PDB file of all heavy atoms in Angstrom:
ATOM      1  N   THR H 350     -35.118  -6.254 -18.041  1.00  0.00           N
ATOM      2  CA  THR H 350     -35.511  -5.365 -16.921  1.00  0.00           C
ATOM      3  C   THR H 350     -34.569  -5.674 -15.725  1.00  0.00           C
ATOM      4  O   THR H 350     -33.968  -6.767 -15.624  1.00  0.00           O
ATOM      5  CB  THR H 350     -36.980  -5.489 -16.566  1.00  0.00           C
ATOM      6  OG1 THR H 350     -37.239  -6.910 -16.171  1.00  0.00           O
ATOM      7  CG2 THR H 350     -37.877  -5.103 -17.754  1.00  0.00           C
ATOM      8  N   MET H 351     -34.568  -4.764 -14.792  1.00  0.00           N
ATOM      9  CA  MET H 351     -33.646  -4.875 -13.674  1.00  0.00           C
ATOM     10  C   MET H 351     -34.135  -5.773 -12.590  1.00  0.00           C
ATOM     11  O   MET H 351     -35.313  -5.683 -12.171  1.00  0.00           O
ATOM     12  CB  MET H 351     -33.416  -3.485 -13.067  1.00  0.00           C
ATOM     13  CG  MET H 351     -32.281  -3.434 -12.031  1.00  0.00           C
ATOM     14  SD  MET H 351     -32.006  -1.758 -11.479  1.00  0.00           S
ATOM     15  CE  MET H 351     -30.448  -2.001 -10.571  1.00  0.00           C
ATOM     16  N   ARG H 352     -33.290  -6.680 -12.155  1.00  0.00           N
ATOM     17  CA  ARG H 352     -33.623  -7.572 -11.094  1.00  0.00           C
ATOM     18  C   ARG H 352     -33.081  -7.099  -9.731  1.00  0.00           C
ATOM     19  O   ARG H 352     -33.740  -7.184  -8.686  1.00  0.00           O
ATOM     20  CB  ARG H 352     -33.041  -8.988 -11.395  1.00  0.00           C
ATOM     21  CG  ARG H 352     -33.311 -10.078 -10.366  1.00  0.00           C
ATOM     22  CD  ARG H 352     -32.949 -11.435 -10.943  1.00  0.00           C
ATOM     23  NE  ARG H 352     -33.182 -12.461  -9.946  1.00  0.00           N
ATOM     24  CZ  ARG H 352     -32.218 -12.907  -9.128  1.00  0.00           C
ATOM     25  NH1 ARG H 352     -31.019 -12.345  -9.193  1.00  0.00           N
ATOM     26  NH2 ARG H 352     -32.469 -13.821  -8.226  1.00  0.00           N
ATOM     27  N   GLY H 353     -31.827  -6.611  -9.746  1.00  0.00           N
ATOM     28  CA  GLY H 353     -31.237  -6.130  -8.532  1.00  0.00           C
ATOM     29  C   GLY H 353     -29.802  -5.757  -8.761  1.00  0.00           C
ATOM     30  O   GLY H 353     -29.320  -5.740  -9.906  1.00  0.00           O
ATOM     31  N   ALA H 354     -29.108  -5.387  -7.721  1.00  0.00           N
ATOM     32  CA  ALA H 354     -27.692  -5.067  -7.781  1.00  0.00           C
ATOM     33  C   ALA H 354     -27.022  -5.312  -6.509  1.00  0.00           C
ATOM     34  O   ALA H 354     -27.645  -5.309  -5.426  1.00  0.00           O
ATOM     35  CB  ALA H 354     -27.482  -3.593  -8.219  1.00  0.00           C
ATOM     36  N   THR H 355     -25.756  -5.680  -6.591  1.00  0.00           N
ATOM     37  CA  THR H 355     -24.958  -5.979  -5.347  1.00  0.00           C
ATOM     38  C   THR H 355     -23.628  -5.254  -5.556  1.00  0.00           C
ATOM     39  O   THR H 355     -23.000  -5.260  -6.628  1.00  0.00           O
ATOM     40  CB  THR H 355     -24.678  -7.481  -5.264  1.00  0.00           C
ATOM     41  OG1 THR H 355     -25.861  -8.177  -5.333  1.00  0.00           O
ATOM     42  CG2 THR H 355     -23.985  -7.819  -3.924  1.00  0.00           C
ATOM     43  N   TRP H 356     -23.163  -4.615  -4.537  1.00  0.00           N
ATOM     44  CA  TRP H 356     -21.780  -4.082  -4.627  1.00  0.00           C
ATOM     45  C   TRP H 356     -20.992  -4.457  -3.399  1.00  0.00           C
ATOM     46  O   TRP H 356     -21.557  -4.693  -2.321  1.00  0.00           O
ATOM     47  CB  TRP H 356     -21.691  -2.594  -4.927  1.00  0.00           C
ATOM     48  CG  TRP H 356     -22.440  -1.634  -4.048  1.00  0.00           C
ATOM     49  CD1 TRP H 356     -21.949  -1.072  -2.951  1.00  0.00           C
ATOM     50  CD2 TRP H 356     -23.751  -1.197  -4.202  1.00  0.00           C
ATOM     51  NE1 TRP H 356     -22.955  -0.245  -2.421  1.00  0.00           N
ATOM     52  CE2 TRP H 356     -24.040  -0.282  -3.201  1.00  0.00           C
ATOM     53  CE3 TRP H 356     -24.779  -1.452  -5.183  1.00  0.00           C
ATOM     54  CZ2 TRP H 356     -25.295   0.332  -3.061  1.00  0.00           C
ATOM     55  CZ3 TRP H 356     -26.003  -0.779  -5.030  1.00  0.00           C
ATOM     56  CH2 TRP H 356     -26.247   0.089  -3.965  1.00  0.00           C
ATOM     57  N   ARG H 357     -19.678  -4.567  -3.616  1.00  0.00           N
ATOM     58  CA  ARG H 357     -18.786  -5.024  -2.565  1.00  0.00           C
ATOM     59  C   ARG H 357     -17.639  -4.055  -2.473  1.00  0.00           C
ATOM     60  O   ARG H 357     -17.173  -3.513  -3.484  1.00  0.00           O
ATOM     61  CB  ARG H 357     -18.232  -6.389  -2.958  1.00  0.00           C
ATOM     62  CG  ARG H 357     -19.187  -7.545  -2.912  1.00  0.00           C
ATOM     63  CD  ARG H 357     -19.145  -8.205  -1.561  1.00  0.00           C
ATOM     64  NE  ARG H 357     -17.833  -8.471  -1.086  1.00  0.00           N
ATOM     65  CZ  ARG H 357     -17.236  -9.667  -1.071  1.00  0.00           C
ATOM     66  NH1 ARG H 357     -17.889 -10.741  -1.562  1.00  0.00           N
ATOM     67  NH2 ARG H 357     -16.052  -9.855  -0.615  1.00  0.00           N
ATOM     68  N   VAL H 358     -17.209  -3.794  -1.248  1.00  0.00           N
ATOM     69  CA  VAL H 358     -15.979  -3.035  -1.059  1.00  0.00           C
ATOM     70  C   VAL H 358     -15.139  -3.740  -0.005  1.00  0.00           C
ATOM     71  O   VAL H 358     -15.698  -4.264   0.958  1.00  0.00           O
ATOM     72  CB  VAL H 358     -16.187  -1.566  -0.662  1.00  0.00           C
ATOM     73  CG1 VAL H 358     -16.769  -0.784  -1.817  1.00  0.00           C
ATOM     74  CG2 VAL H 358     -17.047  -1.412   0.576  1.00  0.00           C
ATOM     75  N   GLN H 359     -13.805  -3.811  -0.160  1.00  0.00           N
ATOM     76  CA  GLN H 359     -12.948  -4.497   0.769  1.00  0.00           C
ATOM     77  C   GLN H 359     -11.534  -3.930   0.706  1.00  0.00           C
ATOM     78  O   GLN H 359     -11.118  -3.482  -0.359  1.00  0.00           O
ATOM     79  CB  GLN H 359     -12.938  -5.992   0.466  1.00  0.00           C
ATOM     80  CG  GLN H 359     -12.754  -6.361  -1.041  1.00  0.00           C
ATOM     81  CD  GLN H 359     -14.130  -6.672  -1.676  1.00  0.00           C
ATOM     82  OE1 GLN H 359     -14.994  -7.220  -1.073  1.00  0.00           O
ATOM     83  NE2 GLN H 359     -14.250  -6.223  -2.966  1.00  0.00           N
ATOM     84  N   THR H 360     -10.863  -4.009   1.819  1.00  0.00           N
ATOM     85  CA  THR H 360      -9.485  -3.589   1.924  1.00  0.00           C
ATOM     86  C   THR H 360      -8.621  -4.820   2.044  1.00  0.00           C
ATOM     87  O   THR H 360      -8.836  -5.668   2.963  1.00  0.00           O
ATOM     88  CB  THR H 360      -9.236  -2.651   3.095  1.00  0.00           C
ATOM     89  OG1 THR H 360     -10.086  -1.518   2.942  1.00  0.00           O
ATOM     90  CG2 THR H 360      -7.772  -2.158   3.128  1.00  0.00           C
ATOM     91  N   ALA H 361      -7.659  -5.026   1.143  1.00  0.00           N
ATOM     92  CA  ALA H 361      -6.733  -6.092   1.207  1.00  0.00           C
ATOM     93  C   ALA H 361      -5.501  -5.564   1.891  1.00  0.00           C
ATOM     94  O   ALA H 361      -4.822  -4.630   1.386  1.00  0.00           O
ATOM     95  CB  ALA H 361      -6.413  -6.638  -0.183  1.00  0.00           C
ATOM     96  N   THR H 362      -5.182  -6.124   3.078  1.00  0.00           N
ATOM     97  CA  THR H 362      -4.032  -5.616   3.809  1.00  0.00           C
ATOM     98  C   THR H 362      -3.694  -6.734   4.900  1.00  0.00           C
ATOM     99  O   THR H 362      -4.638  -7.464   5.264  1.00  0.00           O
ATOM    100  CB  THR H 362      -4.351  -4.248   4.518  1.00  0.00           C
ATOM    101  OG1 THR H 362      -3.177  -3.729   5.152  1.00  0.00           O
ATOM    102  CG2 THR H 362      -5.417  -4.362   5.568  1.00  0.00           C
ATOM    103  N   PRO H 363      -2.447  -6.828   5.340  1.00  0.00           N
ATOM    104  CA  PRO H 363      -2.168  -7.859   6.377  1.00  0.00           C
ATOM    105  C   PRO H 363      -3.107  -7.643   7.585  1.00  0.00           C
ATOM    106  O   PRO H 363      -3.262  -6.523   8.061  1.00  0.00           O
ATOM    107  CB  PRO H 363      -0.736  -7.536   6.755  1.00  0.00           C
ATOM    108  CG  PRO H 363      -0.101  -6.926   5.473  1.00  0.00           C
ATOM    109  CD  PRO H 363      -1.200  -6.125   4.886  1.00  0.00           C
ATOM    110  N   GLY H 364      -3.734  -8.754   8.004  1.00  0.00           N
ATOM    111  CA  GLY H 364      -4.703  -8.652   9.097  1.00  0.00           C
ATOM    112  C   GLY H 364      -6.164  -8.749   8.596  1.00  0.00           C
ATOM    113  O   GLY H 364      -7.073  -8.957   9.379  1.00  0.00           O
ATOM    114  N   LEU H 365      -6.335  -8.675   7.274  1.00  0.00           N
ATOM    115  CA  LEU H 365      -7.654  -8.831   6.679  1.00  0.00           C
ATOM    116  C   LEU H 365      -7.527  -9.879   5.543  1.00  0.00           C
ATOM    117  O   LEU H 365      -6.412  -9.975   4.925  1.00  0.00           O
ATOM    118  CB  LEU H 365      -8.247  -7.583   6.158  1.00  0.00           C
ATOM    119  CG  LEU H 365      -8.809  -6.604   7.218  1.00  0.00           C
ATOM    120  CD1 LEU H 365      -9.144  -5.236   6.571  1.00  0.00           C
ATOM    121  CD2 LEU H 365     -10.040  -7.214   7.856  1.00  0.00           C
ATOM    122  N   PRO H 366      -8.601 -10.679   5.234  1.00  0.00           N
ATOM    123  CA  PRO H 366      -8.476 -11.646   4.172  1.00  0.00           C
ATOM    124  C   PRO H 366      -8.253 -11.018   2.851  1.00  0.00           C
ATOM    125  O   PRO H 366      -8.701  -9.900   2.598  1.00  0.00           O
ATOM    126  CB  PRO H 366      -9.808 -12.373   4.234  1.00  0.00           C
ATOM    127  CG  PRO H 366     -10.721 -11.459   4.920  1.00  0.00           C
ATOM    128  CD  PRO H 366      -9.889 -10.661   5.858  1.00  0.00           C
ATOM    129  N   CYS H 367      -7.503 -11.686   1.971  1.00  0.00           N
ATOM    130  CA  CYS H 367      -7.222 -11.183   0.650  1.00  0.00           C
ATOM    131  C   CYS H 367      -8.404 -11.316  -0.227  1.00  0.00           C
ATOM    132  O   CYS H 367      -9.411 -11.970   0.125  1.00  0.00           O
ATOM    133  CB  CYS H 367      -5.958 -11.900   0.101  1.00  0.00           C
ATOM    134  SG  CYS H 367      -6.317 -13.518  -0.611  1.00  0.00           S
ATOM    135  N   LEU H 368      -8.331 -10.805  -1.493  1.00  0.00           N
ATOM    136  CA  LEU H 368      -9.489 -10.786  -2.370  1.00  0.00           C
ATOM    137  C   LEU H 368      -9.820 -12.226  -2.781  1.00  0.00           C
ATOM    138  O   LEU H 368     -10.996 -12.486  -3.051  1.00  0.00           O
ATOM    139  CB  LEU H 368      -9.172  -9.955  -3.595  1.00  0.00           C
ATOM    140  CG  LEU H 368      -8.897  -8.499  -3.426  1.00  0.00           C
ATOM    141  CD1 LEU H 368      -8.665  -7.766  -4.735  1.00  0.00           C
ATOM    142  CD2 LEU H 368      -9.998  -7.797  -2.614  1.00  0.00           C
ATOM    143  N   GLN H 369      -8.854 -13.100  -2.876  1.00  0.00           N
ATOM    144  CA  GLN H 369      -9.224 -14.463  -3.234  1.00  0.00           C
ATOM    145  C   GLN H 369      -9.975 -15.154  -2.075  1.00  0.00           C
ATOM    146  O   GLN H 369     -10.993 -15.769  -2.248  1.00  0.00           O
ATOM    147  CB  GLN H 369      -7.963 -15.248  -3.574  1.00  0.00           C
ATOM    148  CG  GLN H 369      -8.326 -16.665  -4.076  1.00  0.00           C
ATOM    149  CD  GLN H 369      -7.076 -17.552  -4.291  1.00  0.00           C
ATOM    150  OE1 GLN H 369      -5.980 -17.261  -3.811  1.00  0.00           O
ATOM    151  NE2 GLN H 369      -7.270 -18.600  -5.044  1.00  0.00           N
ATOM    152  N   CYS H 370      -9.461 -14.970  -0.853  1.00  0.00           N
ATOM    153  CA  CYS H 370     -10.117 -15.594   0.293  1.00  0.00           C
ATOM    154  C   CYS H 370     -11.496 -14.951   0.579  1.00  0.00           C
ATOM    155  O   CYS H 370     -12.345 -15.644   1.085  1.00  0.00           O
ATOM    156  CB  CYS H 370      -9.232 -15.489   1.564  1.00  0.00           C
ATOM    157  SG  CYS H 370      -7.712 -16.459   1.336  1.00  0.00           S
ATOM    158  N   ASN H 371     -11.717 -13.723   0.262  1.00  0.00           N
ATOM    159  CA  ASN H 371     -13.064 -13.173   0.465  1.00  0.00           C
ATOM    160  C   ASN H 371     -13.970 -13.280  -0.772  1.00  0.00           C
ATOM    161  O   ASN H 371     -14.944 -12.563  -0.897  1.00  0.00           O
ATOM    162  CB  ASN H 371     -13.026 -11.804   1.138  1.00  0.00           C
ATOM    163  CG  ASN H 371     -12.611 -10.690   0.146  1.00  0.00           C
ATOM    164  OD1 ASN H 371     -13.005 -10.622  -0.994  1.00  0.00           O
ATOM    165  ND2 ASN H 371     -11.742  -9.777   0.607  1.00  0.00           N
TER     166      ASN H 371
END
Side-chain angles (χ1 to χ4, degrees):
T350 58
M351 188 177 191
R352 178 167 178 269
T355 307
W356 54 91
R357 289 270 311 258
V358 291
Q359 46 264 323
T360 301
T362 188
L365 283 171
C367 80
L368 299 184
Q369 185 185 16
C370 294
N371 75 41

